[in-house]
């Protein structure tokens, strides 16, 4: 294996957000840069609303991420960001959506959800390298709510946490995404980059 600085990325969201699609796209972007990559699904639930967790590991021999080992936590939903926080290493980078997709018990008023401020406070106790953006809103602005996952990937690429920038993600999207959804996702990429650079 090529001598590459290991980077462990833990990704989490809920079913229907495109977490696994984003995982595949990120892995293909890493490969396009000539870097060794392993990706996998830790817990996957196909139904809408279920928790989805996946990993992308750059230059790592082990395919797993244990507690306290993730260099980057990518949370497509703030509650899932909070749940996955134990995987983040101290000082690691967090990129998280600010927009909740409440579970059924919260939607029905049977349980209260944490607030975004509570999520941010817990994250701040682990790292000061945290970035937040409204992924669903950015997806809608781009033309499809599902493209919010690309906005978050783009934010991570633009945030300096990886050995490549958003241009590599754009190139991988042009090769791997169907033409009918490419323009929407390119717009989402642009919005995600701007969200981090203008924060």
């Amino acid at each position: 294996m090529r001598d590459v600085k290991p980077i462990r990325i833990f990704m989490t969201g809920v079913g229907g957000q495109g977490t696994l699609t984003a995982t595949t796209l990120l892995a293909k972007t890493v490969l396009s840069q000539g870097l060794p990559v392993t990706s996998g699904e830790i817990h996957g639930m196909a139904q809408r609303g279920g928790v989805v967790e996946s990993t992308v590991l750059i230059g790592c021999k082990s395919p797993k991420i244990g507690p306290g080992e993730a260099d980057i936590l990518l949370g497509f939903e703030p509650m899932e960001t909070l749940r996955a926080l134990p995987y983040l290493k101290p000082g690691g980078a967090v990129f998280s959506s600010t927009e909740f997709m409440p579970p059924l018990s919260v939607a029905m008023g049977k349980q209260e959800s944490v607030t975004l401020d509570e999520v941010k406070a817990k994250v701040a106790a682990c790292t000061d390298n945290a970035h937040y953006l409204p992924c669903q809103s950015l997806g809608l602005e781009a033309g499809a709510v599902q493209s919010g996952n690309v906005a978050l990937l783009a934010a991570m690429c633009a945030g300096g946490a990886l050995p490549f920038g958003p241009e590599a993600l754009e190139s991988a999207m042009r090769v791997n995404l169907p033409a009918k959804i490419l323009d929407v996702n390119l717009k989402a990429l642009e919005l995600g980059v701007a969200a981090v650079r203008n924060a």
Side-chain angles (χ1 to χ4, degrees):
M1 184 179 288
R2 203 173 119 188
D3 188 19
V4 174
K5 179 188 172 191
I7 299 176
R8 298 170 180 83
I9 305 164
F10 191 97
M11 303 168 74
T12 183
V14 298
Q17 286 191 296
T19 304
L20 298 181
T21 301
T23 302
T24 301
L25 182 57
L26 178 59
K28 288 182 176 179
T29 304
V30 175
L31 270 180
S32 75
Q33 298 303 298
L35 299 168
V37 64
T38 304
S39 68
E41 177 183 327
I42 299 173
H43 299 288
M45 299 180 71
Q47 76 268 26
R48 187 170 296 274
V51 177
V52 178
E53 296 177 346
S54 60
T55 58
V56 173
L57 299 102
I58 303 172
C60 298
K61 292 179 181 173
S62 169
K64 295 181 180 176
I65 297 178
E69 291 184 345
D71 299 282
I72 303 170
L73 170 59
L74 204 63
F76 294 89
E77 200 278 338
M79 177 73 86
E80 299 313 319
T81 299
L82 184 59
R83 279 193 231 270
L85 202 52
Y87 286 97
L88 185 71
K89 75 178 188 183
V94 173
F95 295 84
S96 176
S97 176
T98 57
E99 296 173 324
F100 289 87
M101 293 185 68
L104 187 59
S105 59
V106 172
M108 293 179 67
K110 293 182 176 177
Q111 200 171 12
E112 285 195 17
S113 177
V114 297
T115 66
L116 183 60
D117 284 342
E118 289 170 327
V119 173
K120 286 183 174 180
K122 296 272 188 187
V123 170
C126 297
T127 182
D128 58 1
N129 187 6
H131 311 268
Y132 299 92
L133 56 156
C135 293
Q136 294 173 56
S137 296
L138 293 178
L140 286 171
E141 186 178 343
V145 69
Q146 297 88 347
S147 65
N149 60 2
V150 168
L152 196 61
L153 282 183
M156 177 176 63
C157 292
L162 298 173
F164 51 83
E167 300 79 13
L169 178 61
E170 178 181 343
S171 297
M173 288 166 57
R174 290 186 184 280
V175 171
N176 294 290
L177 292 183
K180 64 182 181 182
I181 62 169
L182 181 59
D183 286 346
V184 166
N185 283 287
L186 288 174
K187 180 64 178 174
L189 181 149
E190 182 184 314
L191 292 170
V193 170
V196 163
R197 291 186 175 163
N198 298 333

